[in-house]
Amino acid sequence: MALTLKSTIMVNSKINIIAITISSLICTPVIAARYNTQDKNNLSKTPSIFKDLTLQRQANPFSQTNQHSESKQKQEDYTKILKLISKQNFSEAKNELRKLKADKPEYFNLQALLAIQEKDTPRAILSYKKALALDAKNLMSNMGLATYSFETKDLKTAKKYADISLGINNQLASAYLLLADIARSQNKIKESENILLNALNTVKGNFKPEIKIASSLTKFYAFQRLPKKILNLSRNLQNQYPNNPKVLSIVARAQIVNDQKKLAEQTLSQLINLDKQDAEHRILLANLLKTQTEKETQVLQLLDEASNLEKNNPRALVYKTTYLIQLKRLTQALIIANKIDALFPQLALGKMLTGDIYLLEKKFDQALEINLKAYQIQANKKLFSTIISILVKQGKNTKAIDFAKQELSKNPNNSAIHFTLASLFQNNNNLSQAIQHYESILSQTPKHSQALNNLAWIYSQQNNPKSLEMAKQAYTINPQSASILDTYGFILVQQGQSKEAITILKKAIQLEPKQYDIQFHLAQAYLANGNNKQAIITIKPLLQADKVFSEKQSAIRLFDQLNKK
């Protein structure tokens, strides 16, 4: 079975509605990835790994050595520039930095931070190295080099500078988290856990680094699907820091992922009572209650309160819109979506939500128009897919192809766009064009299982003997894909290897028991293997009126032929 737009892009009244959920992986309330609440121009912030090195410290936020302290005036100058950077007043920060003498590590650390905002990695690294030449024990410089070495996959150097940082200050949470990330990137899962556990023990009693490491360990256990460990960790923290809001926040999330909803509700209510300005936990509580129909009024009240507390953040309004969509109160949802668009015109959020509402209402022309406007603000894969899906739904395949070609011209090596074009051409039976785009994908990514599968399917329709080898490659790479198994099994039958095909197709059916095309292919495999009786037994249930699949007419004809024998 080819993985084309027909089989991979859902185009119906429910497409693209992504409900607001609690992330069971990171134990944090999040807007689903489709609705990114971050300003697209707000991408250049001081890296989070430096937060415990900068404004959170009351002492000099840069130099962590035992050298004599800078003059009070110079410290004030450095802190002023750092605050300007954190507020994204980069031009003013640059002007202030130019007034200072370039003879201290602090100067070069600030220079590096400004280079980071401009995404000038080489200059940032050079600045950190200049700072280290003046002070080898400067924490920000060491951590800066550790971070960028990690990002460029130079793990040995990243570990070196992280270890140096811990030698200077063994309470530095950021260094432990980076070491854990290094181990994780090498698939050393147990080592990553041990780093975090040892770090937790080392900083015990020092609340800020302890809570930061505990939060990271919580996320680690969530990714590893170990909710009981999250619960035990949260209980230990609660025993050590009873009624601390940050700890209670971890406890609430631990209770949620362990399906202790009533306890989580109590903990979240406690948090909200402790802090009347707490928007985050109001949203989390609303999300927890949203499945309880009798709590509808409370959910909406919590989201309204959160929205009032976060007037510069649209997330509560986004939650409210998607909740109203869930309740099928589309008129009210549309009002809130329009409000988001008016309040945050620099974001695509409001338009995306509006587009989803139009899709639910089957207003495809309006949905297309608003999604195209959203795409102009925030071009991303999900919006691209939505636009293509709507055009396909409307039968405007030529326009879908033109749109995809336009985007490909901006990024000729984009495999996702090549795949979309290949699928569109394949759906139009323009197989030569489809082959070209699949081959473009494979020239960049030889182990792209979907491209291999689809190319194998096309070749099988052309009786090209290369189809079997390609289908086998796709199966070897991704043996848990029912569609890939189906293609492989179908081609095995086609090339006279029906016995092996039966085994492969049975496995495919186990993975996707409601893919009736696969069951029909299994019947064909039985027939090719001389087992007419089993072929009839396999086909007969497929003829029921409620069983809809692309090859149903072929199945009916084969069943009739077998019964005549």
Side-chain angles (χ1 to χ4, degrees):
M1 181 187 297
L3 299 166
T4 62
L5 290 173
K6 290 181 179 178
S7 57
T8 60
I9 299 179
M10 291 181 62
V11 189
N12 54 47
S13 62
K14 295 183 180 179
I15 69 170
N16 298 321
I17 296 301
I18 300 182
I20 299 304
T21 61
I22 299 167
S23 170
S24 61
L25 292 178
I26 61 172
C27 307
T28 305
V30 294
I31 307 283
R34 173 167 169 76
Y35 304 120
N36 181 3
T37 59
Q38 296 301 314
D39 187 333
K40 69 169 184 172
N41 297 316
N42 190 19
L43 301 177
S44 300
K45 293 187 177 181
T46 305
S48 60
I49 200 164
F50 299 133
K51 286 182 180 177
D52 54 345
L53 298 174
T54 54
L55 292 176
Q56 291 183 12
R57 291 194 180 275
Q58 295 179 352
N60 186 318
F62 301 96
S63 182
Q64 304 296 321
T65 69
N66 293 321
Q67 297 177 359
H68 68 278
S69 62
E70 296 291 335
S71 68
K72 182 179 178 181
Q73 181 59 50
K74 185 159 282 192
Q75 287 186 37
E76 288 176 356
D77 289 339
Y78 291 146
T79 303
K80 177 184 176 182
I81 295 168
L82 184 63
K83 286 181 178 178
L84 288 171
I85 292 172
S86 70
K87 292 178 181 178
Q88 300 183 64
N89 295 331
F90 303 129
S91 295
E92 191 177 347
K94 279 184 181 179
N95 291 335
E96 291 296 325
L97 187 60
R98 289 191 190 104
K99 298 175 185 178
L100 303 181
K101 191 175 180 181
D103 63 347
K104 298 292 181 184
E106 293 79 359
Y107 176 93
F108 292 108
N109 283 331
L110 288 167
Q111 191 178 70
L113 284 176
L114 286 167
I116 290 168
Q117 314 312 319
E118 296 171 354
K119 299 181 181 178
D120 188 346
T121 301
R123 186 158 63 89
I125 290 173
L126 180 61
S127 296
Y128 283 133
K129 286 185 175 180
K130 285 181 178 179
L132 287 179
L134 295 169
D135 178 7
K137 293 186 177 181
N138 188 280
L139 269 180
M140 179 174 279
S141 309
N142 278 295
M143 282 304 299
L145 288 171
T147 302
Y148 280 101
S149 297
F150 177 71
E151 289 178 355
T152 56
K153 303 190 187 309
D154 184 357
L155 303 185
K156 184 176 180 181
T157 302
K159 186 176 185 306
K160 168 190 165 184
Y161 283 110
D163 285 337
I164 290 172
S165 299
L166 288 173
I168 300 165
N169 180 358
N170 72 350
Q171 301 293 297
L172 188 62
S174 300
Y176 290 115
L177 301 189
L178 184 57
L179 287 172
D181 282 341
I182 292 169
R184 249 195 311 272
S185 70
Q186 297 172 317
N187 205 30
K188 298 177 180 177
I189 304 303
K190 189 62 181 177
E191 181 179 329
S192 182
E193 179 185 9
N194 287 337
I195 288 168
L196 293 172
L197 288 171
N198 291 335
L200 200 60
N201 187 56
T202 301
V203 304
K204 190 171 184 178
N206 188 350
F207 181 74
K208 284 187 178 180
E210 186 173 2
I211 202 69
K212 188 171 184 178
I213 293 165
S215 296
S216 184
L217 192 54
T218 295
K219 295 172 188 177
F220 173 86
Y221 286 141
F223 276 116
Q224 298 302 316
R225 300 181 183 275
L226 298 169
K228 294 298 181 187
K229 286 195 173 186
I230 299 172
L231 196 60
N232 291 337
L233 175 63
S234 70
R235 285 170 177 167
N236 290 337
L237 286 169
Q238 192 172 25
N239 289 336
Q240 192 174 352
Y241 302 105
N243 298 321
N244 182 285
K246 290 186 182 294
V247 172
L248 286 173
S249 182
I250 292 176
V251 170
R253 289 167 169 81
Q255 290 165 339
I256 290 169
V257 297
N258 281 277
D259 203 31
Q260 298 179 351
K261 293 181 180 179
K262 286 294 181 185
L263 289 174
E265 187 177 335
Q266 292 171 17
T267 305
L268 289 168
S269 297
Q270 183 182 354
L271 276 163
I272 291 168
N273 290 330
L274 285 170
D275 184 359
K276 301 301 181 184
Q277 303 301 308
D278 184 343
E280 179 180 349
H281 294 104
R282 279 175 166 78
I283 292 172
L284 189 54
L285 180 55
N287 193 57
L288 185 65
L289 299 175
K290 71 178 184 182
T291 57
Q292 302 177 41
T293 54
E294 72 277 9
K295 298 290 180 72
E296 179 184 319
T297 301
Q298 185 182 352
V299 170
L300 291 171
Q301 182 181 339
L302 286 164
L303 293 174
D304 285 339
E305 289 172 359
S307 178
N308 289 330
L309 290 168
E310 291 188 326
K311 293 189 181 298
N312 295 321
N313 190 327
R315 64 174 176 169
L317 289 173
V318 174
Y319 273 74
K320 184 175 180 180
T321 307
T322 55
Y323 181 58
L324 289 168
I325 291 172
Q326 175 188 317
L327 296 174
K328 298 184 180 179
R329 289 158 60 175
L330 301 185
T331 302
Q332 290 175 271
L334 188 59
I335 291 170
I336 305 299
N338 289 332
K339 181 179 179 180
I340 294 169
D341 198 31
L343 290 173
F344 304 94
Q346 77 278 17
L347 302 179
L349 274 170
K351 291 178 175 61
M352 292 168 72
L353 287 161
T354 300
D356 285 345
I357 294 165
Y358 285 147
L359 284 171
L360 279 173
E361 295 176 329
K362 298 188 182 336
K363 296 177 180 178
F364 297 114
D365 287 338
Q366 290 165 277
L368 178 62
E369 181 182 359
I370 200 72
N371 275 290
L372 284 168
K373 288 179 179 178
Y375 193 77
Q376 290 175 354
I377 298 171
Q378 184 185 339
N380 60 44
K381 291 178 182 178
K382 290 185 180 294
L383 274 170
F384 173 81
S385 177
T386 299
I387 291 164
I388 294 291
S389 299
I390 295 170
L391 289 168
V392 170
K393 176 69 176 178
Q394 293 178 307
K396 299 176 180 177
N397 280 21
T398 302
K399 286 190 175 181
I401 289 170
D402 289 342
F403 177 71
K405 281 183 174 179
Q406 172 189 307
E407 295 308 303
L408 187 65
S409 68
K410 300 172 188 176
N411 190 353
N413 295 321
N414 189 305
S415 293
I417 300 176
H418 274 294
F419 191 86
T420 298
L421 276 166
S423 298
L424 287 165
F425 282 124
Q426 191 170 348
N427 286 345
N428 282 358
N429 207 32
N430 188 340
L431 300 186
S432 61
Q433 286 289 320
I435 289 170
Q436 284 183 31
H437 285 286
Y438 286 134
E439 287 179 342
S440 292
I441 295 168
L442 293 172
S443 68
Q444 299 173 59
T445 313
K447 292 187 177 181
H448 193 294
S449 61
Q450 290 181 337
L452 285 165
N453 177 80
N454 287 12
L455 200 49
W457 184 264
I458 291 173
Y459 284 158
S460 75
Q461 305 306 298
Q462 299 174 335
N463 294 315
N464 187 325
K466 289 196 296 185
S467 63
L468 183 58
E469 180 55 35
M470 282 202 160
K472 187 174 182 179
Q473 284 182 53
Y475 166 68
T476 302
I477 295 164
N478 190 359
Q480 295 303 311
S481 166
S483 295
I484 286 174
L485 285 164
D486 179 43
T487 299
Y488 185 36
F490 178 85
I491 294 171
L492 283 169
V493 173
Q494 192 180 53
Q495 298 200 14
Q497 300 180 42
S498 56
K499 188 174 181 180
E500 185 179 352
I502 290 169
T503 302
I504 294 293
L505 291 166
K506 280 183 175 179
K507 184 178 177 183
I509 291 168
Q510 287 176 348
L511 292 168
E512 290 286 352
K514 292 187 178 181
Q515 285 284 354
Y516 303 122
D517 287 283
I518 302 175
Q519 295 184 36
F520 174 55
H521 295 159
L522 177 60
Q524 291 176 312
Y526 281 129
L527 181 61
N529 201 45
N531 192 340
N532 291 19
K533 182 179 178 181
Q534 193 60 46
I536 292 171
I537 291 170
T538 304
I539 292 177
K540 190 173 182 179
L542 304 180
L543 306 185
Q544 296 173 13
D546 62 332
K547 303 287 175 66
V548 179
F549 58 103
S550 62
E551 297 182 79
K552 187 163 187 177
Q553 291 305 312
S554 297
I556 292 170
R557 285 194 296 271
L558 180 59
F559 184 77
D560 290 342
Q561 290 171 16
L562 289 171
N563 277 327
K564 289 177 183 177
K565 291 183 179 181

